[in-house]
């Protein structure tokens, strides 16, 4: 029996929801009072330049608004984490993403010596 139009649309909506959920990592975020809750965050390799600009300028709310799942931003506000909590959160998100924040290996050294003899 072929699927109805409603069944097809429902299946597509469910697939879209699953795809969206898979785009986020679940990372613990500690609040100022020691309470920790899991929030969904984009993998670090998908953080936009605007997120880094916000973070570098000290706009933590702006940074979190960009990288957190929209439904989890309120959890962040309720937890009101310290800067240490934000740092641990970002480190864990980058670790789970397979990225190292701020740790570029830089260019490799040449195997040949450039010293004149």
């Amino acid at each position: 029996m072929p699927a109805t139009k409603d069944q097809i649309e429902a299946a597509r909506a469910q697939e879209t929801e699953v795809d969206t959920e898979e785009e986020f990592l679940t990372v613990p975020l500690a609040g100022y009072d020691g309470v920790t809750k899991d929030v969904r965050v984009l993998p670090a390799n998908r953080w936009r330049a605007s997120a880094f600009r916000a973070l570098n300028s000290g706009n933590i709310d702006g940074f979190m608004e960009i990288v957190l799942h929209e439904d989890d931003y309120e959890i962040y506000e309720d937890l009101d984490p310290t800067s240490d909590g934000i740092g641990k959160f970002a480190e864990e998100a980058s670790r789970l993403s397979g990225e190292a924040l701020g740790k570029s290996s830089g260019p490799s050294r040449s195997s040949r010596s450039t010293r004149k003899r």
Side-chain angles (χ1 to χ4, degrees), residues 21 24-27 29 38-41 64 68-79:
E21 292 301 314
F24 289 87
L25 303 171
T26 301
V27 177
L29 179 61
D38 287 341
V39 292
R40 292 165 290 180
V41 62
M64 295 299 270
L68 286 179
H69 188 281
E70 64 186 31
D71 294 341
D72 291 352
Y73 186 78
E74 192 173 310
I75 295 171
Y76 154 73
E77 289 182 314
D78 291 341
L79 288 173

Side-chain angles (χ1 to χ4, degrees), residues 25-73:
L25 303 171
T26 301
V27 177
L29 179 61
Y32 75 95
D33 58 358
V35 173
T36 301
K37 292 186 179 179
D38 287 341
V39 292
R40 292 165 290 180
V41 62
L42 289 169
N45 60 351
R46 294 196 45 230
W47 293 355
R48 299 187 324 241
S50 57
F52 288 107
R53 281 193 303 273
L55 185 60
N56 290 333
S57 67
N59 182 0
I60 303 300
D61 290 341
F63 167 75
M64 295 299 270
E65 190 171 16
I66 294 168
V67 301
L68 286 179
H69 188 281
E70 64 186 31
D71 294 341
D72 291 352
Y73 186 78

